[in-house]
Amino acid sequence: MSTYEEKLSLLSEMISFAKIDGQIHEREYQFLTIVASQLRVEKTDFESLFAHEAEKVIIKSEDQRILQFYRLALLMHADGVLHDNEQVAIREMGINMGLSPFAMKSVLLEMQRSPSGLIDPAKLLALFHAQHN
């Protein structure tokens, strides 16, 4: 992640996604806070994203787009409830990021199979890179 604006854009996208089911669950908010901290986004900037979306910045790196998709998938599972509109939205967002629908489906299935909902980073990348062949 190279610029602060990109980080704000990613968080803004995640916040919009968290609002899809009508509310932001406490566990979703906690997850967003952790991501903001990892991205080193100032608390005041993070909080302001809930009221005002950041300008959309296109992610150029495929690995960064895959990581963002995975963050969204983790966020989708954070509240313990999988809403139909979240599943539709995450697929649309992934397609808009230029990611393979087959790889996205594989990742979401792996997350459901995993007791923790997590996927090893190497496996995550392998699921997407397998679609390149």
Side-chain angles (χ1 to χ4, degrees), residues 7-114:
K7 295 173 185 182
L8 293 176
S9 176
L10 293 175
L11 283 169
S12 186
E13 179 178 52
M14 293 178 76
I15 291 167
S16 293
F17 183 68
K19 291 178 179 178
I20 284 177
D21 62 0
Q23 65 178 355
I24 295 182
H25 188 276
E26 179 62 29
R27 289 174 54 190
E28 291 173 324
Y29 179 79
Q30 290 171 354
F31 181 76
L32 290 165
T33 302
I34 290 167
V35 172
S37 175
Q38 289 176 341
L39 294 175
R40 296 189 176 128
V41 170
E42 296 292 327
K43 180 94 170 140
T44 55
D45 292 338
F46 169 66
E47 292 295 335
S48 72
L49 293 174
F50 287 89
H52 307 285
E53 288 187 20
E55 184 177 329
K56 177 80 172 153
V57 177
I58 305 298
I59 306 169
K60 293 180 181 150
S61 161
E62 182 183 39
D63 287 347
Q64 288 297 321
R65 292 192 311 267
I66 291 168
L67 177 58
Q68 180 66 357
F69 176 81
Y70 184 54
R71 285 186 192 119
L72 291 168
L74 290 171
L75 179 61
M76 181 173 75
H77 288 88
D79 64 359
V81 180
L82 294 176
H83 297 277
D84 289 338
N85 50 353
E86 288 175 324
Q87 293 184 42
V88 169
I90 197 168
R91 285 183 176 89
E92 288 175 4
M93 294 168 89
I95 289 170
N96 289 337
M97 285 189 264
L99 299 175
S100 162
F102 300 108
M104 291 185 297
K105 183 176 180 179
S106 297
V107 167
L108 295 173
L109 286 172
E110 283 296 320
M111 290 179 77
Q112 287 178 341
R113 290 182 191 138
S114 169

